[in-house]
Amino acid sequence: MSIAEFSVTMATMPVSPKAAIKEVQDLSFLAGKAFVSMFRRPFYVRDILMQMDLIGVGSLMVVMLTGFFTGAVLTLQSSKELSRFGGTSLTGGLVSVSLVRELGPVLAALMVAGRVGSGMASELGSMLVTEQINAMRALGTDPIKKLVVPRILATIAMMPVLTIVADSLGIIGGLAVALSVLHITPILYLSRAWDSLNYVDVFGGLIKPLVFGALLASVSCHCGLRTYGGTQGVGRSTTQAVVASSVLILIFDFFLTRLILAYT
């Protein structure tokens, strides 16, 4: 996203309290209606599987690269500080805990928001401005049931899988740097990485992607379904979906971390 696009997006984001409350109200209404629709027939299983393929398989490469190089950089940065206290051998533990608790879920969600969230908003926005959604309603098909629910369910299902991939590749990236730069043995690095993790870390690291998936899919669909202004409006909704999803992921990450630490 260019600086000009970001500036235009921020200028069109709701800034007044009244407009912000209206956005939250509309988003909550859409999410609530989608949640109720999940338990009503038809279930559009084929659409859900197609979305899982687009979201999961399509995002795999970018998530793998993000996880690998995040782990590699984290190893380089942490080893410098740990070496001052003679604790270079603890690098594996530090990398695994940082990735599983925090960086893996957040970075995977941000990558999916940038790639998939923008696609959802542009696809639904294009269908809206070309009257395809109105035609769908005229034929008796509920657009939320047909378009929104499969995207939310598929994103919720695939986000934990992508997070596990990001965590694993991050630990492998850290291992590569530990071997080549720090000259730490693989057994020492991996044993520290494994011993430093506990059930709370794994539980928290898998709860966050579920919430992030529901959040980014709902926000992206909401931005797409309120598109106006033709093709320019589609571009504006796409950018707003990415910006709003990314900001909300970071905000919810704080509260989820606070909640997990308080009750574990």
Side-chain angles (χ1 to χ4, degrees):
M1 182 189 305
S2 65
I3 295 177
E5 289 176 334
F6 182 79
S7 301
V8 171
T9 301
M10 294 307 293
T12 56
M13 294 287 280
V15 292
S16 67
K18 185 177 179 181
I21 292 173
K22 179 69 166 53
E23 286 293 319
V24 173
Q25 181 183 355
D26 292 343
L27 176 60
S28 302
F29 177 75
L30 176 67
K33 193 171 181 180
F35 179 77
V36 173
S37 298
M38 291 177 187
F39 304 98
R40 291 192 290 107
R41 292 179 179 275
F43 295 115
Y44 297 112
V45 176
R46 182 182 176 85
D47 292 339
I48 295 173
L49 294 176
M50 287 178 60
Q51 291 298 321
M52 289 175 68
D53 178 59
L54 289 172
I55 296 167
V57 180
S59 303
L60 197 57
M61 184 56 68
V62 67
V63 169
M64 290 172 65
L65 290 173
T66 301
F68 183 87
F69 286 103
T70 299
V73 171
L74 188 60
T75 301
L76 284 176
Q77 292 284 4
S78 59
S79 64
K80 183 177 180 181
E81 294 301 319
L82 290 174
S83 63
R84 296 170 55 188
F85 307 100
T88 308
S89 60
L90 302 175
T91 303
L94 180 63
V95 171
S96 65
V97 170
S98 301
L99 283 168
V100 173
R101 281 185 180 177
E102 195 63 44
L103 293 177
V106 172
L107 291 177
L110 291 177
M111 291 298 107
V112 174
R115 181 188 172 277
V116 178
S118 59
M120 290 181 186
S122 64
E123 187 178 4
L124 297 183
S126 299
M127 294 179 69
L128 187 68
V129 299
T130 55
E131 304 290 338
Q132 294 182 55
I133 291 182
N134 288 335
M136 191 178 292
R137 287 196 180 96
L139 294 174
T141 303
D142 183 1
I144 294 179
K145 178 72 178 173
K146 172 70 175 175
L147 300 174
V148 176
V149 171
R151 286 165 172 78
I152 293 178
L153 288 178
T155 310
I156 292 174
M158 296 313 299
M159 277 307 301
V161 179
L162 293 172
T163 299
I164 293 172
V165 171
D167 293 342
S168 303
L169 266 293
I171 293 174
I172 293 174
L175 174 63
V177 173
L179 289 174
S180 59
V181 179
L182 306 179
H183 306 295
I184 299 176
T185 63
I187 295 177
L188 177 60
Y189 176 89
L190 292 175
S191 63
R192 291 290 188 185
W194 178 260
D195 293 340
S196 300
L197 294 175
N198 54 45
Y199 291 110
V200 174
D201 300 327
V202 177
F203 174 76
L206 293 178
I207 288 294
K208 288 182 178 180
L210 298 174
V211 178
F212 293 160
L215 185 66
L216 75 90
S218 301
V219 171
S220 301
C221 292
H222 169 66
C223 291
L225 290 176
R226 65 174 179 80
T227 299
Y228 62 91
T231 54
Q232 288 185 340
V234 174
R236 184 171 56 246
S237 295
T238 301
T239 312
Q240 285 179 349
V242 176
V243 173
S245 299
S246 301
V247 172
L248 288 175
I249 285 169
L250 296 175
I251 293 173
F252 271 71
D253 179 55
F254 169 79
F255 290 107
L256 285 173
T257 301
R258 191 79 177 85
L259 192 65
I260 292 170
L261 291 177
Y263 289 96
T264 55

